[in-house]
Amino acid sequence: DAGVIQSPRHEVTEMGQEVTLRCKPISGHNSLFWYRQTMMRGLELLIYFNNNVPIDDSGMPEDRFSAKMPNASFSTLKIQPSEPRDSAVYFCASSPGTATNEKLFFGSGTQLSVL
Amino acid sequence: AQSVTQLDSQVPVFEEAPVELRCNYSSSVSVYLFWYVQYPNQGLQLLLKYLSGSTLVKGINGFEAEFNKSQTSFHLRKPSVHISDTAEYFCAVTKFGNEKLTFGTGTRLTIIP
């Protein structure tokens, strides 16, 4: 299995532009998570899906952020408009079960820089 | 809500020396505890987890951790570290039925040759 695949690996954009991050979870996994990692705040859970349904988006910073999972093999995290404080590494992770007492499989992340 | 504290942001250790990375948690209910490792420019990988049973948990790469309920701790140990152990280590906690895994702020382990 190729693991969790995220694209792009690096994204540099200007303030005000729309940014879309993509994630392909491991086939057969039921849960998908979006995390953001910064030096100041560490790893923060933004949103997670179970069987393609958003379960908890309380970690999404504000309305500029949105996430979708149209099917079991694809998810997107969109920021519109982007701001410099959104600069971070964004990780997607998937899990085989419905509870995170199982193992999370992380992608390699997307390094986002907003100028 | 549960939370986890990693007191040491950076730990330098000489090669082949033992290491302990500290993790304390707070929760009003029973929890599940995890240690994840992040190598440079990579995503996190699971090192080990405690769900129930024996309080001493063995993981990959020679690491182990001990769950101590009275001290609400889950410290990570390795008897002899290698250069390849240089990475950032994250303690994480969740509770049964809860999808939200809460991570600590991480401890950067640096191995000195």
Side-chain angles (χ1 to χ4, degrees):
Chain A
D1 199 319
V4 176
I5 300 173
Q6 290 187 248
S7 63
R9 283 300 304 272
H10 303 275
E11 175 80 34
V12 181
T13 190
E14 292 186 346
M15 183 173 64
Q17 296 298 306
E18 177 180 298
V19 175
T20 299
L21 311 181
R22 296 173 176 80
C23 175
K24 177 179 169 55
I26 293 173
S27 177
H29 281 194
N30 295 320
S31 299
L32 183 139
F33 306 81
W34 281 101
Y35 281 89
R36 178 172 68 176
Q37 185 178 36
T38 61
M39 291 290 290
M40 294 297 294
R41 301 171 70 92
L43 268 166
E44 303 172 277
L45 178 64
L46 300 177
I47 185 172
Y48 72 89
F49 296 83
N50 184 256
N51 292 323
N52 313 336
V53 177
I55 303 300
D56 187 338
D57 65 354
S58 60
M60 296 285 260
E62 49 199 271
D63 292 345
R64 297 185 297 107
F65 284 69
S66 62
K68 294 182 179 179
M69 192 165 185
N71 56 62
S73 59
F74 185 65
S75 177
T76 60
L77 177 68
K78 184 178 294 186
I79 308 172
Q80 167 62 22
S82 59
E83 296 182 3
R85 60 192 169 122
D86 301 330
S87 298
V89 180
Y90 290 81
F91 287 103
C92 176
S94 68
S95 176
T98 57
T100 51
N101 55 346
E102 298 200 44
K103 182 177 177 179
L104 281 183
F105 293 76
F106 281 79
S108 298
T110 294
Q111 174 80 57
L112 174 64
S113 298
V114 183
L115 308 177
Chain B
Q2 62 272 16
S3 66
V4 63
T5 301
Q6 293 182 248
L7 292 172
D8 306 306
S9 60
Q10 296 188 57
V11 173
V13 180
F14 285 103
E15 193 173 13
E16 298 184 5
V19 68
E20 178 179 86
L21 306 183
R22 297 181 293 169
C23 172
N24 288 89
Y25 69 92
S26 64
S27 175
S28 58
V29 298
S30 296
V31 296
Y32 296 154
L33 293 155
F34 305 77
W35 276 98
Y36 279 81
V37 59
Q38 184 179 27
Y39 298 105
N41 300 314
Q42 295 185 27
L44 281 71
Q45 302 173 33
L46 181 67
L47 267 181
L48 49 80
K49 62 183 178 182
Y50 171 78
L51 303 182
S52 64
S54 172
T55 57
L56 184 62
V57 181
K58 293 189 183 298
I60 61 172
N61 300 339
F63 283 93
E64 63 180 32
E66 186 160 17
F67 171 63
N68 188 320
K69 189 174 182 179
S70 63
Q71 297 188 8
T72 61
S73 68
F74 190 55
H75 300 333
L76 181 70
R77 302 186 183 99
K78 186 169 182 178
S80 175
V81 296
H82 302 113
I83 290 288
S84 59
D85 293 323
T86 296
E88 188 139 17
Y89 292 79
F90 293 89
C91 185
V93 63
T94 189
K95 57 183 181 179
F96 179 76
N98 190 331
E99 302 288 344
K100 299 178 73 169
L101 193 62
T102 301
F103 285 89
T105 51
T107 298
R108 185 171 300 275
L109 177 63
T110 301
I111 309 302
I112 306 166

